[in-house]
Amino acid sequence: MALQRFDIKIKEVYVSMQFIKENHSLILKHQGEMLRIDPWGKNALRIRATMFPEFTDKAWALTEEVEKNIGEVRIYEEECYMGDANYATREVATVTNGKIKVHINHVGILSFFKIQDGEEKLILREYFRAYGGTISKESRCTKVINREWKGIIGGCDYSLNLKFESNEGEKIFGMGQYQQPYMDLKGSILELAQRNSQVSVPFYISSLGYGMLWNNPAVGQVMFGRNYTEWIARSTKDMDYWITADDTPKAILSNYVDATGHSSQFPEDLMGLWQCKLRYRTPEEVLEVAHKYKDMGIKLDQIVIDFFHWPYQGDWKFDKEYWPDPKAMIDELHEMGIKVIVSVWPSVDRRSENFGPMLEKGLLIKTERGAAQTYDFQGDCVEIDAFNPETRKYVWEICKKNYYDLGVDAFWLDNSEPDYGVYDFEHYRYYDAPALQVSNIYPQMYSKAYYDEMSKLSDRPVVNLLRSAWAGSQKYGNVVWSGDVPSSFEAFYDQVQCGLNMGMAGIAWWTTDIGGFMTDDVNDPDFRQLLIRWYQFAVYSAVLRMHGDRGPFNIPALDDRNFGGGYLHTGQSTEIWSYGEDNFKIMKDYLELRYSMKDYIKSLFDEAAENGSPLLRTMFYEFPEDKKCWELQDQYMFGAKYLVAPIFQLNQFQREVYLPAGQWKLTSDGTVYEGGQTVTVDAPIEYMPVFEKIA
């Protein structure tokens, strides 16, 4: 909206808003801006605005067929405060869809209401501090407006700054994965950008009973401030967000996945242990591990072949010298009932056999200035332009020939942010648009290169491992893990809130590197204690995966070649027998516990597919009426049945746990506790406190 007085008179004729009713939608035109409000699924509205003559009509995350011919539009007159103690009758409008209603006043300020039990409760209102546009009698002259468009010099697009009033006492959850100790995001400033271990999934659930999706993949920022909430898109053509109101967090999340997509059914044969390390260098190393698991009678569901099994980044094939017959290895693993997943990166080294053809065909990311380089880890690389459908086709055809046709079951889509050498988003350009406008949806486009084709070739649900995601990524078969995080109790604590907020953002298939990714000494007893506590938590999460880059790094290289550093490095073992007999027994017992819960875990994955419910659930997700549950972030629900209380400190062998109303059985000794109280329980290294809800 342009920054002007709103009580302008021309020949004594007041210039008012131009409201247009179009079926069940409302269009508002004012001072060059077009605003459109559409009913969009159950109890939800989609809000768009642009300074262009038409909208781009990009669906972004809102890809699903939902009912839109619903709701009620009213355009009517009401008495409005015009400043200087003056009132006038002006045209205003409302759009109602089930439990949500938006009111647009005479200067275009949007106010959202939740309708419950016949009453309307204000849940969100645009922030506006300009003369003649106040909601109340108080006059404001600071000239701060709700939707601020600024033309980008030298271009035809705009930056966008959208502000909302900050609700006192509101709590905010979701938004993806940010490496910080705060689960309640009120007061946080979040970069809307993808980085290694940072995942921007811009949907949140409010304690006031609504959820909001920022349906815009532009690089930017959101500030959930105490004084106001501010969304910034650094370059965009449209404002686009979606808002829903409902009675419980579970209902809100269900509305969200109905509009953005449901996950598929998770295969039962992947609900156990995944084995991975940085890195297995030969088939012999892989098979030795697989056979040892088998000989010990320990079921292994999947084994992962990590990076630099290729000659150069972008070759997307096994190095024949070190992997002369990968099909024989894969067949042998399949005979043992073990699935195989292979790491692929989106980076293409200039030395790769695919660099020249892809550069010539325009299939790589472009840079705005200078020679193209987007990634510099162990090579001079340019990453693939996943927005280009020809790129996705080219990469898949190579991966199908060199991996899938050999029997590889799944792909580990690492570095999928993409992991830029320098995060200067204004320097990169994709097939669709400048990176500033669309970069946050890159990991989703990258995963589609595999998901779309694999879905055509098999009825088996696609399950690929991915290091990043965006809104709606749950429908593309992605298990998202939390990236390369440190091996520390502080990082472990952060990962739990990361997983809980990812669940609130619709990403139910989420996991971590057990023990963290990076540690210098696997023999350090403090690290081993951390590993056990992390492993105990991982048993009560969606995917149980051993991984890490473990020191000391004194394992001899296979030879002195340096094809990008790939053959010079492998870390210490990560298998569950690698940390001493006492720790092996604990992990083996917990793995048996995991397999004993298989039917229950399957029911949780089924529920995730049905209504979006995460496996890791915030306490308030199951107990929304309990105010204390909205304050807790160091315990969680694993589904509706188990309350899990991880141990987050070294040498901590006791902790407090809050039990909501009901009866709870401590699984270690069978003691039954009445809910509605905080209890103190023992937590020896062999046991993490878990309570089963029995009534």
Side-chain angles (χ1 to χ4, degrees), residues 135-413:
I135 298 293
S136 66
K137 294 182 180 180
E138 184 182 358
S139 193
R140 307 294 179 100
C141 299
T142 50
K143 299 182 181 179
V144 177
I145 58 173
N146 43 348
R147 298 185 293 276
E148 181 181 31
W149 301 89
K150 286 187 177 180
I152 297 174
I153 296 174
C156 61
D157 300 319
Y158 292 84
S159 67
L160 171 63
N161 183 309
L162 172 65
K163 289 183 174 68
F164 292 99
E165 299 281 358
S166 179
N167 295 308
E168 188 71 25
E170 181 180 22
K171 297 181 182 299
I172 290 172
F173 304 91
M175 290 300 297
Q177 173 183 289
Y178 290 86
Q179 297 298 328
Q180 61 183 33
Y182 312 111
M183 189 172 78
D184 177 5
L185 301 174
K186 188 70 169 182
S188 294
I189 300 172
L190 305 178
E191 180 189 34
L192 300 177
Q194 313 291 12
R195 297 174 183 262
N196 183 349
S197 78
Q198 174 178 295
V199 182
S200 177
V201 186
F203 174 75
Y204 73 84
I205 290 177
S206 165
S207 59
L208 298 182
Y210 72 93
M212 177 178 164
L213 165 69
W214 181 248
N215 192 37
N216 188 327
V219 174
Q221 177 180 287
V222 60
M223 179 184 73
F224 296 111
R226 186 176 179 182
N227 52 339
Y228 57 80
T229 294
E230 179 181 59
W231 295 86
I232 295 173
R234 289 173 57 187
S235 178
T236 192
K237 290 181 170 61
D238 295 344
M239 180 192 79
D240 191 345
Y241 63 92
W242 178 91
I243 183 169
T244 183
D246 222 313
D247 297 339
T248 65
K250 185 175 292 188
I252 291 168
L253 194 57
S254 179
N255 295 345
Y256 170 72
V257 297
D258 282 349
T260 61
H262 290 249
S263 62
S264 58
Q265 301 291 330
F266 196 86
E268 293 183 49
D269 55 10
L270 292 179
M271 295 179 187
L273 179 63
W274 296 20
Q275 178 59 52
C276 181
K277 66 168 283 189
L278 193 157
R279 66 189 180 84
Y280 301 121
R281 299 170 295 176
T282 65
E284 290 76 20
E285 291 182 355
V286 172
L287 290 170
E288 180 183 5
V289 168
H291 279 290
K292 187 166 182 177
Y293 271 112
K294 182 181 179 182
D295 293 344
M296 286 183 161
I298 300 172
K299 177 139 181 15
L300 184 62
D301 283 4
Q302 184 156 247
I303 198 162
V304 185
I305 299 171
D306 203 348
F307 71 174
F308 286 104
H309 62 267
W310 50 67
Y312 297 110
Q313 295 175 66
D315 282 342
W316 300 303
K317 67 179 181 181
F318 288 99
D319 185 328
K320 288 185 178 180
E321 180 169 353
Y322 291 96
W323 305 81
D325 191 358
K327 187 177 187 307
M329 174 197 68
I330 294 166
D331 289 345
E332 189 170 342
L333 291 168
H334 284 169
E335 288 174 4
M336 290 186 277
I338 301 171
K339 297 288 190 295
V340 182
I341 181 170
V342 172
S343 172
V344 293
W345 286 11
S347 45
V348 185
D349 195 305
R350 290 182 184 275
R351 297 169 291 180
S352 168
E353 63 190 19
N354 292 310
F355 183 86
M358 295 191 77
L359 180 67
E360 182 64 25
K361 293 175 181 289
L363 307 184
L364 303 174
I365 293 173
K366 297 175 178 62
T367 52
E368 300 286 30
R369 299 168 298 279
Q373 185 192 70
T374 64
Y375 191 61
D376 58 1
F377 178 75
Q378 304 290 1
D380 180 3
C381 302
V382 183
E383 283 148 315
I384 67 171
D385 185 350
F387 290 86
N388 188 335
E390 188 178 349
T391 301
R392 298 196 297 270
K393 182 174 184 291
Y394 183 99
V395 171
W396 168 250
E397 288 179 351
I398 293 174
C399 288
K400 180 178 183 297
K401 175 184 175 183
N402 294 333
Y403 296 124
Y404 191 86
D405 290 348
L406 300 181
V408 166
D409 300 284
F411 293 92
W412 180 7
L413 306 179

Side-chain angles (χ1 to χ4, degrees), residues 444-580:
Q444 195 171 103
M445 305 306 294
Y446 179 37
S447 70
K448 276 173 58 62
Y450 296 84
Y451 176 84
D452 289 350
E453 298 301 327
M454 294 171 73
S455 298
K456 298 174 186 176
L457 296 172
S458 173
D459 292 334
R460 179 182 172 85
V462 175
V463 180
N464 291 324
L465 189 61
L466 193 71
R467 200 172 73 181
S468 193
W470 194 66
S473 284
Q474 66 273 3
K475 61 180 171 286
Y476 295 117
N478 300 319
V479 172
V480 183
W481 97 98
S482 64
D484 299 342
V485 299
S487 296
S488 68
F489 276 98
E490 292 81 5
F492 175 32
Y493 183 87
D494 293 351
Q495 299 326 295
V496 175
Q497 73 81 13
C498 284
L500 293 172
N501 273 328
M502 282 286 274
M504 289 295 94
I507 308 296
W509 298 4
W510 178 89
T511 187
T512 66
D513 295 345
I514 294 174
F517 177 63
M518 299 166 281
T519 191
D520 293 330
D521 186 3
V522 295
N523 300 308
D524 182 350
D526 291 354
F527 166 72
R528 291 188 171 190
Q529 189 179 137
L530 168 69
L531 179 75
I532 292 300
R533 294 309 196 186
W534 206 312
Y535 185 94
Q536 291 167 340
F537 152 76
V539 165
Y540 289 89
S541 67
V543 171
L544 178 69
R545 173 172 162 266
M546 295 294 291
H547 184 55
D549 188 14
R550 305 279 179 247
F553 304 108
N554 54 10
I555 299 173
L558 295 178
D559 63 25
D560 60 358
R561 296 191 307 163
N562 186 358
F563 286 3
Y567 300 99
L568 299 181
H569 173 69
T570 185
Q572 300 292 328
S573 297
T574 62
E575 297 78 36
I576 65 173
W577 57 76
S578 305
Y579 306 97

